Amino acid sequence: MPIGKKILVVVVASALIVALSILPVLLGAPPPADTPDLALPPKPLHIPPEILKPPWLEERRAVQLAELAAADVFRDFAFVDRYAESGLDFVHRIVDDSGKNYLPDHYDHGNGLAAADIDGDGWPDLYFANQAGPNGMWRNAGTGRFEDWTTPALALADRICVAASFADTDNDGDADLYVTSVRGGNVLLANDGMGYFADITEGSGLGYRGHSSTGVFFDYDRDGLVDLLLNNVGAYTREETVANSVGPAYYPGRERAFALHLRPELGEASILYRNMGDNRFVDASTATGFVDSSWAGDASIFDANGDGWLDIYVLNMQGHDQYYENEQGRRFIRKSRAAFPRTPWGSMGAQVFDWDNDGRFDLYITDMHSDMSAAVAWDEEKAKSAVAYSEDFLQSGGLSIFGNAFYRGLDGSDEISTAIGAETYWPWGLSTGDLNADGWEDVFVTGSMNYPFRYGVNSLLLNDRGRRLVDAEFALGVEPRRRTSTRFFVLDCAGADRRHKHCGGEFATVAVYGARGSRSSVLLDIDGDGDLDVVTNDFNSEPMVLLSDLAQRRPALRYMLVDLVGSRSNRDGLGAVVRLRVGARALSQVRDGRSGYLSQSLLPLYFGLDGAEMVDSLEVRWPSGQRQLLAGPIAANQRLVIAEPP
């Protein structure tokens, strides 16, 4: 039986009967609890080097270390995956379209991750979305140990979930939760303040049933209540349901799903909901002029023109991104090509941050779909994609960027991604944060495309003082992961699966393996030691819990946590801008709740202070328009809770 370069098919003689429980020894990881009890061999399973140990990894590592040596960045620390010690017991599972059938549809996009302090104890908690199995709420019991907090209302085991977002939707001081799904109905869950959630979807107006991706909370009309932008992809599924190997039945994908942007009748408009109070939302899309039928996977919210009103940037998976300017909360005007003439074709994640500390916010966008057009060598990954698609398919008028984009100062005409090293290969979402606490925000990018493709690395880009982004994932222990392959499915080639293409006429049990890959991520201080850690939600696998030892390796670590409590503004302070003056430097962050593709974080802002003992001043520009100044000196290494004046 042939073994492809990108797919491993292990054939096991049916006469060899061995318990499934030996897989942890053979693969170095526990098998999925839902795997059929099929015969396995009493010998180590052979996994080709291009999956288990890609031959290019060491060469890429050597080049990276050499380039990093010339950069002016603090790198004397590392991350270690502590999933096994974390107490987490969550495994992401997929529908058969994403694995066993491997159809090129949009089911490979579903595994979100959200973080918030759900019970007010000061520790960040995690919620994992699952595609084919129960979602998981995990409460941080302190110092980075988690306990299962999942209830049936939170598990949503009867639907195919995609993403989740926390926000205080009723301004009562706790983090409520909104979860999206594929045709199963989206769900609004109210928090009682103690971390227990009740389904209040009925009567909320938010139970939309369609092909939803993310829900983004922001206050577009500045009335002090968070509104919701629901991003919908498009009708990529058929009408009948089929049984899945794991979890509930699902709607299978349409053929040629990545060409469905050519069929406008399958477009599914995103929805702007206005919060009317008491957890009641109404569709305000038409009333405000927000009409968008992009294949929207996500959106970024920012004040692009500095008028104090939050604008909308929609990430389009299959075509140009769209930009809508907010006219004082009354209407949104589409100014896409005027403001951003060229955008990525296949945008996935976006972050707004001040990467060079010049006081202006910048927009970084990752583009995955253009990288699917051609296979490239590892040393060509930092170049734009050599797109092999025709203009008839792209329909971009020659104005697309086939790779990541980085817009300096939110200026769509000033795109500098290649010049500063912001290009990556097959990226999904990106998270930003000061990982080495030097006062410059760094970047973590989830990557890889899993089965049937090759292994791709997650990227960690250290900020070289606003001059460039420097690859550092190998230097800091992020790569290679403890396991670069994962088992995607098991075939019964003697029975129900005998006609599957990977059986190849074999009368046996076949296990099919693909590359490990991450989708979403959040940056947060899991263990309360003052540095930022990384958690991912990996596709068809367990997550990674990457703990940093920066606090132990840098005794002079100095930082500031800033939490906001709005009064005239929404209680979460979403949309607020916080500026710290530290000596001659100004550090700026926007509280937008975003943390990369399908991921969200309702946690205090983290500022690295590069060893400074004091903050000279702190200013908050609230969404209401108020400006609040705290004169210094303000001692470092504390969490400030700043309440907006009434």
Side-chain angles (χ1 to χ4, degrees), residues 418-487:
T418 300
I420 67 171
E423 192 60 55
T424 56
Y425 181 68
W426 263 1
W428 290 87
L430 74 160
S431 302
T432 58
D434 192 352
L435 295 173
N436 57 4
D438 66 350
W440 303 87
E441 288 198 74
D442 310 299
V443 177
F444 181 86
V445 182
T446 55
S448 193
M449 193 52 191
N450 311 108
Y451 169 83
F453 301 97
R454 72 158 188 158
Y455 177 74
V457 302
N458 289 333
S459 298
L460 196 159
L461 309 176
L462 289 178
N463 189 335
D464 188 4
R465 300 185 176 272
R467 296 185 290 259
R468 57 177 177 151
L469 297 170
V470 185
D471 298 303
E473 59 271 4
F474 289 93
L476 299 184
V478 171
E479 290 289 350
R481 280 164 267 186
R482 64 178 184 274
R483 184 165 49 84
T484 55
S485 65
T486 188
R487 186 181 62 200

Side-chain angles (χ1 to χ4, degrees), residues 108-177:
D108 57 6
H109 293 237
N111 56 320
L113 173 61
D117 180 5
I118 63 171
D119 54 359
D121 65 353
W123 293 98
D125 311 300
L126 298 169
Y127 184 80
F128 294 87
N130 209 346
Q131 190 175 109
N135 300 338
M137 178 72 82
W138 292 86
R139 177 181 175 271
N140 192 333
T143 65
R145 289 282 303 176
F146 292 87
E147 57 186 25
D148 194 346
W149 206 251
T150 310
T151 63
L154 290 164
L156 299 171
D158 62 337
R159 60 199 76 193
I160 310 300
C161 292
V162 180
S165 297
F166 287 106
D168 190 350
T169 59
D170 50 6
N171 282 349
D172 65 351
D174 52 44
D176 307 302
L177 180 64

Side-chain angles (χ1 to χ4, degrees), residues 92-108:
H92 181 265
R93 289 291 171 249
I94 58 179
V95 299
D96 286 348
D97 267 17
S98 300
K100 188 174 181 179
N101 304 328
Y102 193 69
L103 297 179
D105 58 38
H106 291 281
Y107 276 117
D108 57 6

Side-chain angles (χ1 to χ4, degrees), residues 28 55 126 130 141 147 166 169 211 311 355 358 386 403 417 435 459 538 540-541 592 619 645:
L126 298 169
N130 209 346
E147 57 186 25
F166 287 106
T169 59
H211 300 79
D311 310 303
W355 93 288
D358 67 351
S417 58
L435 295 173
S459 298
D538 281 21
N540 202 36
S541 188
D592 60 2
E619 183 186 37

Side-chain angles (χ1 to χ4, degrees), residues 288-489:
T288 61
F290 177 78
V291 180
D292 189 282
S293 296
S294 306
W295 286 67
D298 211 335
S300 185
I301 308 296
F302 50 84
D303 181 7
N305 57 2
D307 66 352
W309 297 87
L310 294 173
D311 310 303
I312 300 174
Y313 187 100
V314 177
L315 301 173
N316 190 354
M317 297 182 185
Q318 297 178 207
H320 283 302
D321 298 342
Q322 303 298 329
Y323 167 71
Y324 300 85
E325 198 163 273
N326 188 343
E327 289 197 342
Q328 298 186 344
R330 297 186 298 269
R331 290 189 62 80
F332 285 90
I333 306 299
R334 184 184 301 203
K335 296 186 177 181
S336 305
R337 301 289 71 77
F340 295 90
R342 301 175 68 243
T343 64
W345 200 100
S347 298
M348 301 305 294
Q351 282 290 312
V352 171
F353 68 118
D354 184 5
W355 93 288
D356 54 1
N357 290 342
D358 67 351
R360 302 185 304 159
F361 288 107
D362 312 290
L363 175 62
Y364 188 5
I365 299 169
T366 54
D367 167 32
M368 187 271 287
H369 283 177
S370 357
D371 285 315
M372 299 178 67
S373 62
V376 300
W378 71 267
D379 55 352
E380 299 175 326
E381 293 178 359
K382 302 292 280 186
K384 291 291 189 285
S385 174
V387 172
Y389 302 126
S390 69
E391 178 59 28
D392 288 342
F393 173 81
L394 296 170
Q395 296 197 344
S396 62
L399 296 176
S400 288
I401 299 170
F402 300 107
N404 299 347
F406 197 107
Y407 301 106
R408 181 161 49 190
L410 302 179
D411 181 353
S413 63
D414 194 5
E415 202 285 301
I416 59 171
S417 58
T418 300
I420 67 171
E423 192 60 55
T424 56
Y425 181 68
W426 263 1
W428 290 87
L430 74 160
S431 302
T432 58
D434 192 352
L435 295 173
N436 57 4
D438 66 350
W440 303 87
E441 288 198 74
D442 310 299
V443 177
F444 181 86
V445 182
T446 55
S448 193
M449 193 52 191
N450 311 108
Y451 169 83
F453 301 97
R454 72 158 188 158
Y455 177 74
V457 302
N458 289 333
S459 298
L460 196 159
L461 309 176
L462 289 178
N463 189 335
D464 188 4
R465 300 185 176 272
R467 296 185 290 259
R468 57 177 177 151
L469 297 170
V470 185
D471 298 303
E473 59 271 4
F474 289 93
L476 299 184
V478 171
E479 290 289 350
R481 280 164 267 186
R482 64 178 184 274
R483 184 165 49 84
T484 55
S485 65
T486 188
R487 186 181 62 200
F488 270 75
F489 50 92

